[in-house]
Amino acid sequence: MNRLLLVEDDESLALGIEFSLKDGGYEVSRASTVEEGKKIFHLERFDLILLDINLPDGNGYELCEYIRSKSDVLIIFLTACDDEVNIVQGLEIGGDDYITKPFRVRELLSRIKALIRRNSKNISLESILKSESILVDNIKGTVRKNGEVINLTAQEYKLLLIFMNKPNVLMKRDEILCELLEGEDPFFDENTLSVYIKRIREKIEDNPRDPQYIVNKRGLGYKWNKEVVAP
C-alpha cells in the first residue's frame, strides 16, 4: 500500500482529503505546518507528498526545497493560485505536478495514481547508458556527470531516459508527452514539459543557456544531441 504525506493547514479540507485518500486505498499521514511536515517526513518512507503552498509558519516552496535536498519522493503542490508564475516556481524547485483548488476528488486521485504508476515503470531495458560525461545506472537509479551524482526527481529521471533512449532523434512535444505520460494524464501541458526540460538542462549542461545535450529546433521539437552507448 502506498504511503502519502498530506501537508495542509485547512483542517476541514485536510480531513476531507485524508478521508478520500484512505478510501482510495492509501495510507495517509498529515501535517499542518512546515516544521511538522519536516518531522513527519523523517519518521517514515513516503511514496508521494501532497503539499499546500500557503502554510502558517512558511510556505510549501520552502518545504519542497528542504525535501528535495534529501529525497526524490514525488511531490504534488496543492495551490489556490492558478497564476502561471506560481505554478512554474513550484515545478522549478522540484515539484512533480500541481493541482489548483478547488479540485474534484476524482481528479486528485487520478493524478496521484498516474504519477505513482509512471514512477514505478522503467522505460529503459539497458542497465547502463552513457553519453559523453553523463552516465545513467538503471539498476541503482542514479545519474552522474563527470563522476558526480546528479539529483533528479522521478519525472526528470524518466524524461532523461526518454531522450537518451532516442539519441539524435527529433521528437515533437506531443510525442515526448505521450511517452512521459503513457496516455494517462490529460492535465499535464506543454508549459510543464518546458519547465522539466529547463530543470534537467540546469543539472546536466555545462552552460544551460547553450545546451549541448538536449537541444531544440524551434517549432519542431527536441532531441538528445549526443551519441549514447550501453557499455
Side-chain angles (χ1 to χ4, degrees):
M1 183 179 292
N2 295 119
R3 291 198 58 81
L4 309 183
L5 170 59
L6 170 63
V7 185
E8 168 62 65
D9 67 318
D10 185 321
E11 182 75 11
S12 59
L13 177 59
L15 286 171
I17 294 174
E18 181 180 12
F19 175 81
S20 298
L21 293 174
K22 288 182 175 179
D23 191 51
Y26 298 102
E27 292 185 20
V28 183
S29 296
R30 184 158 59 88
S32 59
T33 66
V34 171
E35 286 307 311
E36 189 180 5
K38 289 179 180 179
K39 291 178 182 178
I40 296 177
F41 166 72
H42 285 292
L43 293 177
E44 302 177 59
R45 179 193 172 279
F46 294 99
D47 298 287
L48 185 144
I49 296 174
L50 293 167
L51 184 53
D52 187 25
I53 288 181
N54 297 311
L55 296 168
D57 57 341
N59 59 63
Y61 300 136
E62 173 191 345
L63 183 52
C64 177
E65 289 180 321
Y66 176 81
I67 291 171
R68 272 291 166 260
S69 70
K70 304 177 182 302
S71 171
D72 62 355
V73 63
L74 297 168
I75 296 176
I76 296 180
F77 277 106
L78 306 178
T79 173
C81 307
D82 59 0
D83 186 352
E84 183 178 346
V85 173
N86 289 282
I87 292 169
V88 168
Q89 181 178 352
L91 294 173
E92 286 190 333
I93 63 174
D96 292 287
D97 199 0
Y98 65 89
I99 186 167
T100 305
K101 301 175 186 178
F103 49 79
R104 294 185 293 273
V105 172
R106 288 183 62 184
E107 180 183 352
L108 176 61
L109 291 174
S110 174
R111 294 214 193 185
I112 292 172
K113 183 178 179 181
L115 203 55
I116 290 176
R117 180 159 52 232
R118 292 200 302 270
N119 188 42
S120 68
K121 292 183 178 179
N122 189 347
I123 64 170
S124 177
L125 299 178
E126 301 291 347
S127 58
I128 301 290
L129 291 173
K130 188 175 188 302
S131 183
E132 294 196 355
S133 63
I134 306 298
L135 181 71
V136 178
D137 186 333
N138 278 302
I139 303 300
K140 297 179 181 178
T142 59
V143 179
R144 293 177 181 271
K145 177 182 178 181
N146 295 321
E148 297 293 325
V149 174
I150 297 174
N151 293 316
L152 300 180
T153 68
Q155 293 296 82
E156 291 168 359
Y157 182 78
K158 183 167 184 178
L159 184 55
L160 179 66
L161 288 180
I162 289 173
F163 280 117
M164 292 186 69
N165 274 286
K166 292 185 177 180
N168 297 306
V169 175
L170 186 64
M171 292 184 286
K172 295 180 180 179
R173 283 174 169 264
D174 56 355
E175 294 177 39
I176 300 171
L177 283 170
C178 184
E179 284 201 47
L180 184 63
L181 307 179
E182 298 168 359
E184 294 176 348
D185 192 346
F187 311 106
F188 203 100
D189 59 31
E190 291 189 0
N191 288 331
T192 307
L193 176 62
S194 297
V195 172
Y196 280 166
I197 291 175
K198 179 176 181 289
R199 277 184 0 203
I200 294 175
R201 282 173 167 167
E202 289 173 346
K203 296 177 180 181
I204 68 171
E205 300 282 0
D206 291 329
N207 180 3
R209 295 186 177 183
D210 182 25
Q212 301 299 307
Y213 287 101
I214 301 176
V215 301
N216 66 298
K217 302 292 183 181
R218 187 175 297 276
L220 297 176
Y222 295 89
K223 73 173 180 176
W224 186 265
N225 200 40
K226 302 287 186 179
E227 295 298 324
V228 176
V229 296

